Amino acid sequence: SGLHAFRLMVPAYELPQWLEETDSGVILQVKVTPNGTRNRVSGQLGPSLLVTLTAPEQDGKANGLLIKFLSESLGVASAQLNVVAGGSGKIKKVLIEAVRPSQVSMRLSPR
């Protein structure tokens, strides 16, 4: 019966490739396209969520704007988000603390 209880905790849906569950929240793999006309989720490419940002690709401006965009999109405090890998590259990993994977998936999935 212990195994049966575990099965109930497994989500009824599969997580998108760009989302990974951790003990403290989720890690989002994002490929950022700078210099866009507006901030938006623009699709998915392999294991990355594509996010277009208005920020230029310089001085960490894109990272700051990415955190702001994601926190507003998810309705969480920007303090809950942290770029944990790829800070200076186009492909970044963002840790989002204290959120459920389903919340992130529903709000950010490309439409």
Side-chain angles (χ1 to χ4, degrees):
S1 67
L3 184 60
H4 181 70
F6 174 73
R7 267 200 202 112
L8 294 175
M9 293 170 59
V10 173
Y13 62 92
E14 216 173 294
L15 291 179
Q17 284 182 289
W18 43 265
L19 196 58
E20 179 187 330
E21 191 167 7
T22 70
D23 290 338
S24 57
V26 298
I27 290 183
L28 188 61
Q29 181 163 303
V30 178
K31 182 169 194 259
V32 173
T33 303
N35 301 314
T37 53
R38 64 189 177 101
N39 299 323
R40 64 188 181 95
V41 172
S42 47
Q44 178 180 344
L45 181 64
S48 298
L49 184 68
L50 301 175
V51 175
T52 302
L53 297 173
T54 57
E57 192 177 351
Q58 67 190 38
D59 307 331
K61 286 190 172 129
N63 287 356
L65 189 56
L66 177 64
I67 295 296
K68 183 175 188 287
F69 169 72
L70 291 174
S71 73
E72 288 172 359
S73 300
L74 295 168
V76 299
S78 57
Q80 289 175 247
L81 288 88
N82 190 16
V83 176
V84 293
S88 59
K90 285 186 187 294
I91 296 181
K92 305 172 185 305
K93 287 190 185 276
V94 180
L95 173 65
I96 308 168
E97 295 184 68
V99 293
R100 292 186 312 281
S102 58
Q103 176 188 357
V104 176
S105 178
M106 284 182 346
R107 295 201 180 186
L108 294 182
S109 284
R111 289 175 171 57

